Structure formats: C-alpha cells, structure tokens
C-alpha cells in the first residue's frame, strides 16, 4: 500500500513516515497481492503437508490495530497520537480505516484461497479503546470485513481476538465473528455465560470461544502447564471451545513447554474426566 516500515527485534514494526494527514492517506494505493506470493506459497505448502491432520490458520491485524502502528509510527503504551487524531481530525482516521478494511478483506480471501482453513483477526490494541470508542473505530470495520468474507467464502470460520477484551466480549460477538478469542485475564466460564445471555440462551449461542491459558505459565514446570490446561478445559464447558493461549507465545518461551501444552491438550480432549 506504499507504507515503508522496518521490523525491530525488540520494538516491533517501525513506520518511517507515519500517516497523519489526508494527503498521505490519499497517496496510499490498493494492496498489491502479487507482492505477497511468499504468504500464499507458505500456506499452500503447509496445507499439503498437514493434509487432514491439522487446521491451517491464516491471520491479519484489524484495521484499528494496523492504524495504531501507521499513525503512531511504532508500538505505543498510551496511543496518544492516534486517539488525538480521532478527536481532532476524525475524517482522516476514517479514511485510513476504510482503505485498510478494503485491503484486509482482499488479503483474507487471498489467504483462504491459498489454503487457510480459519483466519484470525487480531484486534490486539482494541482493548485500549473505551467501549463506545471501540464501537466507532473498530467494530464497524470488523463487521464489514467479516460480512464481505462470509459472502465470498461462507465455509470459512473467522476469529476475532482483542487483547484486554473483557469489557468487549458481547461487542466482539456482535461483529458476526464465528469465534471469539479470550485473553487470559478473563474467566472463560464468565465469558461463556455472558455470550449465552447476549444470545438469549445457551442453545441460541453459536459463537465458539478460543483461549485462554496464561502464556506466562509456559515458563513454569510441566505440572503447572498441565493444571492450567485442565482448568481452561473445565471453564470452557466442553462445548464450542478451542483451547489456546490467552495471547501470543512470549519471546524466550521454552519450545518444550509449548510442545507439552499441545501434548496435554491432545491427551485430555473434551471428553476427559477432569
């Protein structure tokens, strides 16, 4: 789209020229999927390798989360620059989010056609918005992406995950997402109850939950990992629940700890006597 960036091993994405004016937004061009053939190649090869044994996951950042990097110029603790833009020049932010939404919709479909069984949308910094602001600056763009992808590829489930999402669960489910990712700071049993209530009753709630083992437990002994997995499965209720971490794997996490989490999850499953 014409945004130059570098990846710093400790700081993450660094945008050399942050986008903060309407002129800069107008200069952005449509996503060039031909420059992303390495992504489609990887997905196609992985799909062929795993066959029917595992699901192949694609992912994108949400329009809001990508916009935080693009406007701030890097990761941020307080997101003052983009929040100030939303208050002082909302038309600029709206225009940027619209362009990102179109590009990301095309990118999801591109990943699906290359072999992704499921695509997760990371609204990683959505939890930094008050709920009413999330309703304006994240929700409508997520809904548009999900609606367009469901129309184009109706057989593919879509996940939405927002870090710090405890106050947004019902709102995330209302985007039309098939799966709601839950962070480790939210009780999974409470999340299930809240979404059941929002849907009217448990039978009407078709949303699947994903999560939410604390990633920090992977630095502990294997017994602690096993106990955390068991607790997560119990709180998941044995229905419409995908076991996962409550956020990403942290840098420095021992690989054998990640392997143990997978092994335990496969051994226990939903039907285990916990």
């Amino acid at each position: 789209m014409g945004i130059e960036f570098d990846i710093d091993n400790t700081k993450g994405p660094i945008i050399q020229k942050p986008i903060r004016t309407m002129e800069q937004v107008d200069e952005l061009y449509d996503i060039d999927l031909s420059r992303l053939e390495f992504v489609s190649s990887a997905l196609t090869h992985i799909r062929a390798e795993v066959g029917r044994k595992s699901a192949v996951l694609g992912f994108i950042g949400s329009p809001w989360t990508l916009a935080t990097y693009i406007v701030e110029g890097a990761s941020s603790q307080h997101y003052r620059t983009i929040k100030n833009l939303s208050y002082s020049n909302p038309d600029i932010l709206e225009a940027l989010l619209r362009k990102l939404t179109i590009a990301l919709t095309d990118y999801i479909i591109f990943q699906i056609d290359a072999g992704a069984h499921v695509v997760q949308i990371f609204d990683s910094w959505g939890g930094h918005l008050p709920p009413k602001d999330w309703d304006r600056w994240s929700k409508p763009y997520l809904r548009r992406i999900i609606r367009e992808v469901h129309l184009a590829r109706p057989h593919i489930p879509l996940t939405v995950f927002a870090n710090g999402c405890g106050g947004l669960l019902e709102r995330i489910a209302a985007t039309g997402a098939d799966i709601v990712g839950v962070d480790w700071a939210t009780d999974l049993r409470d999340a299930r109850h809240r979404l059941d209530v929002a849907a009217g009753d448990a039978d009407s709630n078709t949303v699947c939950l994903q999560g939410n083992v604390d990633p920090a437990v992977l630095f502990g002994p294997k017994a602690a990992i096993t106990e955390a997995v068991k607790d997560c499965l119990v709180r998941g209720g044995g229905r419409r629940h995908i076991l996962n971490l409550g956020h990403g794997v942290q840098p420095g996490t021992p690989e054998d700890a990640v392997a143990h989490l997978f092994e335990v999850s496969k051994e226990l499953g939903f039907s285990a006597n916990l």
Side-chain angles (χ1 to χ4, degrees), residues 84-191:
N84 179 55
L85 186 67
S86 74
Y87 300 135
S88 58
N89 291 287
D91 54 329
I92 297 174
L93 184 54
E94 288 172 349
L96 175 60
L97 290 169
R98 285 196 298 269
K99 284 204 169 188
L100 290 172
T101 297
I102 294 170
L104 291 168
T105 300
D106 290 343
Y107 189 35
I108 287 183
I109 294 172
F110 173 80
Q111 292 187 43
I112 292 170
D113 290 346
H117 292 100
V118 184
V119 178
Q120 177 157 317
I121 305 170
F122 283 89
D123 194 19
S124 300
W125 310 133
H128 287 266
L129 287 169
K132 70 178 182 64
D133 290 342
W134 190 86
D135 284 343
R136 179 174 183 183
W137 298 114
S138 190
K139 182 179 179 179
Y141 304 100
L142 289 170
R143 291 188 69 175
R144 178 174 174 180
I145 290 172
I146 291 168
R147 181 178 66 250
E148 295 298 323
V149 174
H150 277 161
L151 286 172
R153 303 292 184 272
H155 60 291
I156 298 296
L158 300 177
T159 303
V160 173
F161 171 82
N163 197 27
C165 65
L168 301 172
L169 289 173
E170 294 86 351
R171 286 172 160 84
I172 294 173
T175 63
D178 305 285
I179 305 161
V180 173
V182 182
D183 68 17
W184 75 92
T186 304
D187 188 298
L188 205 58
R189 186 182 285 125
D190 291 345

